[in-house]
Amino acid sequence: MAMGIIKASKLVFDYIRQDEDDHIEEVNRAIDGVDVDIREGDFVAILGHNGSGKSTFAKQINGILLPTEGVVWVSGMKTSDDSHIWDIRKTAGMVFQNPDNQIIGNVVEEDVGFGPENLGVPTDEIWRRVDESLAAVGMTAYRLKSPNKLSGGQKQRVAIAGVMAMKPKCIILDEPTAMLDPNGRKEVIRTIHELNKKEGITILLITHYMEEVIDADRVIVMDDGHLVMDGTPREIFSQVRRLKEYRLDVPQVTELAYELKQEGVEIPEGILSIEELVEALISLLGDDAGGQKENVD
Amino acid sequence: MIREITLGQYYPVDSVLHRMDPRTKLFGTMVFIVSLFLADSLAAYGIVTVFLATAVVLSRVPFGFMVRGLKAMIFLLLISVSFNLFLTPGTEIFRFGFLKITWEGIRLAGFMALRLIYLVIGSSVMTLTTTPNQLTDGLEKGLRLLKKVGVPVHEVSMMMSIALRFIPILVEETDKIMKAQMARGADFESGNLIQKARNMVPLLVPLFISAFRRATDLAMAMEARCYHGGEGRTKMKPLRYERRDGMAYLVYLLYLGAVIGMRYFHVAAGMMPKIA
């Protein structure tokens, strides 16, 4: 059976609020019938407005939340199967939004060692993993520093190293840049792209910053608990109007290109970078007859 | 003031004390505290001072850094000093209403101040040279006998380590909330003690809410990194006694012996006056 590293089938999740006597007060359906299959080694971005269910979906993947209905498989293991829970969490590591609330160690290297310690990895091997993980995120120089002395972007890189030290196949990042300044955001996004390319780690990036999505292999859009769009960044961003319906912004340059196209300028759909737009406009100028030039993609 | 507490803040330099096993340092601190209360003469305090000074020098932590921890203690220090100063019976040298200062009072207050200052500096030496994780590791391993009678040693030490990690974060947050509330007209400075306490409510409520939120987040992050209690856990930095630890224990023994010896020495000789 060809199954991706993460697969969800007919996934439903309800947040249930109970009063003191366990009577159900309110049921909130956060995920409503999601089917998805993620290929190993891909860089997948999940987009969605607040309350779209994207964070809830992330927590389903490493078994922090369990499905109300349906199944989630990680590397072929069902998350609802208690006996595999630690294997699942080891395979699919998770990085959260607030950098302060996920660092346990008081020294950078001790924090990176926390995961392997929990897994019962022998001491020598822990040190080897800590060295490798810190090098992979470029934080070796800070290994003896206190996490409190680091910038937000550096803290998130430490958190990523902490996950890397568990040798995961996949890292899920739940809005890792939401609390960072633009420099920190770039730092973190560059780091996860490197891990994806060099170490072949599957990345699931949950975000609402469009700029972080354009280099992904695949983009999934969630709205109101449903998976509503799924495709390459170019396919997704060529549908500017639909994205707006889901209260999502498109990258500035994509929006500009879209508006130009609406006004009748003959440029291709789904332009993602300034360079692309410049090129498209230049080729328009060169083509004075107004004929369409073949869009090489 | 709250920012100046150095207790529980690791000072990262490389020194003999930094490399020493945390159990050795914990035991040393205990020996030191006991000795503070055993010492009852100037000569004994001389030995205590030498011991503390040696530790401070060996730690390679700037002395100013340790003294900073004292600032937060000034209030407590003043209270205990003035109680001892004014309320000790004995040879009167000065009287002001019902307050009187006696020779015994001066001596007692002086030693009390010394004890408190030494106590803070002594424990600062330990916390400044030991990462909180090492410290809790030391406690966990040092107290593992208690596990047999059902004390959750690992859990307690994990809680302590996390508490220590979050102290600076919560201090910063307190500062932030304080400024935010002051910007909206909250007053934390004027009024009597009761009013001041009442004015703290708009500070404490958001602080607690935020602390609980952080706790939930942290618990989730720990679970995501496969934390499931002390069972089957390995250590990145397992505790192993080295030769220097053996030496340290020898020094403790000699030191404690000397301080106890001083007690009997002058009791027997009857030369030096007792204090306390």
Side-chain angles (χ1 to χ4, degrees), chain B residues 116-181:
Chain B
L116 279 174
I117 291 169
Y118 279 15
L119 192 71
V120 172
I121 296 181
S123 35
S124 296
V125 169
M126 182 184 67
T127 51
L128 285 165
T129 60
T130 318
T131 69
N133 266 20
Q134 285 173 343
L135 196 65
T136 48
D137 274 2
L139 275 177
E140 185 178 351
K141 214 163 172 190
L143 299 178
R144 69 184 178 284
L145 276 177
L146 288 179
K147 205 148 110 191
K148 297 214 170 84
V149 291
V151 180
V153 180
H154 168 79
E155 284 74 6
V156 170
S157 71
M158 181 56 85
M159 280 195 275
M160 280 178 46
S161 141
I162 289 170
L164 284 170
R165 147 116 178 87
F166 276 86
I167 286 173
I169 294 175
L170 290 179
V171 167
E172 204 170 292
E173 183 138 5
T174 314
D175 218 48
K176 221 184 278 172
I177 298 173
M178 218 164 177
K179 280 186 187 133
Q181 303 287 44

Side-chain angles (χ1 to χ4, degrees), chain A residues 101 103 111 117-118 121 127, chain B residues 165 214 225 233-234 236:
Chain A
N101 296 355
I103 294 181
D111 183 71
E117 283 184 332
N118 291 334
V121 173
W127 280 92
Chain B
R165 147 116 178 87
R214 281 181 194 281
R225 281 163 79 184
R233 215 164 172 262
T234 46
M236 181 181 178

Side-chain angles (χ1 to χ4, degrees), chain B residues 1-18:
Chain B
M1 181 185 103
I2 198 160
R3 287 173 163 277
E4 280 150 14
I5 301 173
T6 51
L7 273 172
Q9 287 206 355
Y10 179 62
Y11 189 89
V13 284
D14 192 30
S15 78
V16 191
L17 281 195
H18 282 76

Side-chain angles (χ1 to χ4, degrees), chain B:
Chain B
M1 181 185 103
I2 198 160
R3 287 173 163 277
E4 280 150 14
I5 301 173
T6 51
L7 273 172
Q9 287 206 355
Y10 179 62
Y11 189 89
V13 284
D14 192 30
S15 78
V16 191
L17 281 195
H18 282 76
R19 271 175 276 139
M20 205 179 258
D21 191 289
R23 285 169 292 177
T24 316
K25 283 184 267 188
L26 271 170
F27 190 71
T29 313
M30 264 160 55
V31 166
F32 179 71
I33 292 171
V34 169
S35 76
L36 273 181
F37 289 91
L38 286 176
D40 58 354
S41 64
L42 272 179
Y45 266 92
I47 300 178
V48 173
T49 309
V50 170
F51 183 77
L52 183 62
T54 316
V56 170
V57 171
L58 282 179
S59 75
R60 295 183 55 200
V61 177
F63 188 63
F65 209 82
M66 286 178 197
V67 180
R68 230 176 287 168
L70 282 173
K71 278 194 203 153
M73 290 268 307
I74 283 178
F75 193 56
L76 185 67
L77 205 63
L78 282 180
I79 290 181
S80 50
V81 165
S82 36
F83 265 95
N84 278 304
L85 195 59
F86 295 119
L87 300 176
T88 313
T91 332
E92 208 174 293
I93 52 167
F94 181 77
R95 191 175 188 94
F96 183 78
F98 67 98
L99 296 172
K100 58 182 193 313
I101 296 178
T102 62
W103 279 118
E104 287 77 1
I106 291 176
R107 189 177 290 138
L108 214 57
F111 277 104
M112 184 52 87
L114 209 58
R115 252 176 213 168
L116 279 174
I117 291 169
Y118 279 15
L119 192 71
V120 172
I121 296 181
S123 35
S124 296
V125 169
M126 182 184 67
T127 51
L128 285 165
T129 60
T130 318
T131 69
N133 266 20
Q134 285 173 343
L135 196 65
T136 48
D137 274 2
L139 275 177
E140 185 178 351
K141 214 163 172 190
L143 299 178
R144 69 184 178 284
L145 276 177
L146 288 179
K147 205 148 110 191
K148 297 214 170 84
V149 291
V151 180
V153 180
H154 168 79
E155 284 74 6
V156 170
S157 71
M158 181 56 85
M159 280 195 275
M160 280 178 46
S161 141
I162 289 170
L164 284 170
R165 147 116 178 87
F166 276 86
I167 286 173
I169 294 175
L170 290 179
V171 167
E172 204 170 292
E173 183 138 5
T174 314
D175 218 48
K176 221 184 278 172
I177 298 173
M178 218 164 177
K179 280 186 187 133
Q181 303 287 44
M182 270 151 76
R184 288 182 251 164
D187 182 6
F188 296 111
E189 253 117 64
S190 58
N192 58 29
L193 209 61
I194 294 168
Q195 273 169 334
K196 265 188 188 165
R198 192 175 302 147
N199 290 345
M200 292 299 260
V201 172
L203 176 67
L204 291 178
V205 170
L207 189 64
F208 267 81
I209 289 174
S210 142
F212 281 124
R213 191 169 298 144
R214 281 181 194 281
T216 326
D217 277 7
L218 188 73
M220 194 157 58
M222 286 172 76
E223 272 192 27
R225 281 163 79 184
C226 296
Y227 179 73
H228 50 281
E231 210 75 10
R233 215 164 172 262
T234 46
K235 293 275 181 202
M236 181 181 178
K237 297 175 176 170
L239 299 179
R240 243 178 262 126
Y241 278 131
E242 311 255 344
R243 240 186 99 218
R244 56 170 167 267
D245 296 301
M247 304 269 281
Y249 277 107
L250 196 68
V251 171
Y252 298 161
L253 204 68
L254 290 174
Y255 166 69
L256 203 59
V259 174
I260 295 173
M262 288 310 288
R263 272 175 91 90
Y264 290 104
F265 172 66
H266 66 72
V267 168
M271 294 184 326
M272 289 223 219
K274 278 188 71 162
I275 42 130

Side-chain angles (χ1 to χ4, degrees), chain A residues 109 112-113 126-135 143, chain B residues 236:
Chain A
E109 63 174 15
V112 178
I126 296 180
W127 280 92
R128 204 162 23 246
R129 288 189 184 191
V130 169
D131 291 346
E132 283 170 12
S133 311
L134 282 172
R143 64 180 306 157
Chain B
M236 181 181 178

